[in-house]
Amino acid sequence: MAEPSITARSLTPDAVRSAYALIQPYIHHTPLLTCQTLNTIASTPQSAESLVGTSFEGQTPAKPKFRFFFKCENYQRIGAFKARGAFHALLRLIAERGEEEVKRRGVITHSSGNHAQALALAASTLHVPAYIVMPSISTPSKIAGTRSHGAEVIFSGSTSTEREAVVAEIQAKTDAILVPPYDHFDIICGQGTTALEMEDQYRALVSDKPHLSVHASGAEDGSRHLDAVITPVGGGGLNAGVATFFSGKPTRVFGAEPSFEGADDCRRGLESGQRVESVKTLTIADGLRTPVGILNWEVISDRSKVAGVFAVTEDQIKAAMRLVLERMKVVVEPSAVVGLAVCLFNEEFRRLVEKEAGPEGWDMGIVFSGGNTTVEAIGKLFG
């Protein structure tokens, strides 16, 4: 891998802490939930039948032990973690360029929905005009949510190349300042505040209720840590931000992607040693249809920061979503549960946990990235 840029080097835990200090007045402190039923399901070996047709066919299924801690960013403002990065980027932009210039020019971005709504909310809150380029196939509720905050929505094709072309056209007319959806220092730092909250909440929770952890005895409260955290990977801002916060700490970070129509570009890029530059997929995990950004790739491809990225099928995503809806009574969108799906169904990952955690198991943090779906969309998925 090429020598990291100065910008990548400046992505540090302290940068994430600075972002948190700035955005706290504008975001929700989302809950960290546990679920004994999902712990039990994930800690039970998969059936031999489920491994038929895979490279693990005929082998004894793995038996890892998990205790899950779910960071529920579906309860964040606009229903997704994206509010963190959007508020941070816009607040930094105003601090650097001045309120007058930013309000005069406005801001622009492209997004399938969650960053669109997040920037629209941040711009409305801070009284800045916003132009949002959205794929015409975006979820109607996400389009409506973006417009509800007063942003001007312009439609485009579904690929990142098509989106960026429309952004360039609008910028030429308006001189609006681009706030990228994921491949930006301030966005990454903002998203990384998810990990900061998660770590603090985990320590407080297991201090009060030690039985929730696989490490019920042993560590002092201040040294308790999640063994691992897994997040979805689309553009990579959340994963890169979380990995940035946990860099230098014992918590390992993993990524999760859909495999449908090549949506697992990050996993494939890591396998080949080169970032995949374009993705064209209609996976049900619509928030993960973009290629990993350049800056995010520098973080995620650093094995000292991200330990691996794993992929799951559409059916596995739906199965994980059903479990969250029915067992946890928590409303999530498909993109939010790819990390849980990896823990439940990806035999390669499950074997890794079994091998490295041993009989004690792992305390596993899972980020539910968003909950922007509708009754109609859920009905269509499971109809």
Side-chain angles (χ1 to χ4, degrees), residues 37-38 54 78 85 219:
T37 300
L38 290 185
T54 75
I78 67 91

Side-chain angles (χ1 to χ4, degrees), residues 5 24 39 54 64 81 87 94 174 177 225 247 251 258 264 270 275-276 284 297 361:
S5 68
Q24 273 195 80
N39 291 344
T54 75
F81 73 95
F87 269 107
I94 290 170
T174 64
I177 304 167
H225 64 271
S247 60
T251 300
D264 55 342
L270 292 173
R275 173 180 166 266
V276 177
I284 57 173
W297 173 255

Side-chain angles (χ1 to χ4, degrees), residues 9-10 26 30 33 37 45 75 80 82 119 185 199-200 221 231 234 251 270 289 296 311 314 328-329 335 376:
R9 285 202 193 102
S10 60
Y26 301 99
T30 56
L33 302 183
T37 300
Y75 294 134
K82 295 279 191 176
L119 187 61
F185 177 85
E199 182 179 69
D200 287 346
D221 293 344
T231 84
T251 300
L270 292 173
R289 291 174 178 172
N296 298 321
E314 302 290 274
M328 293 185 71
K329 319 304 179 188
S335 300
E376 291 79 11

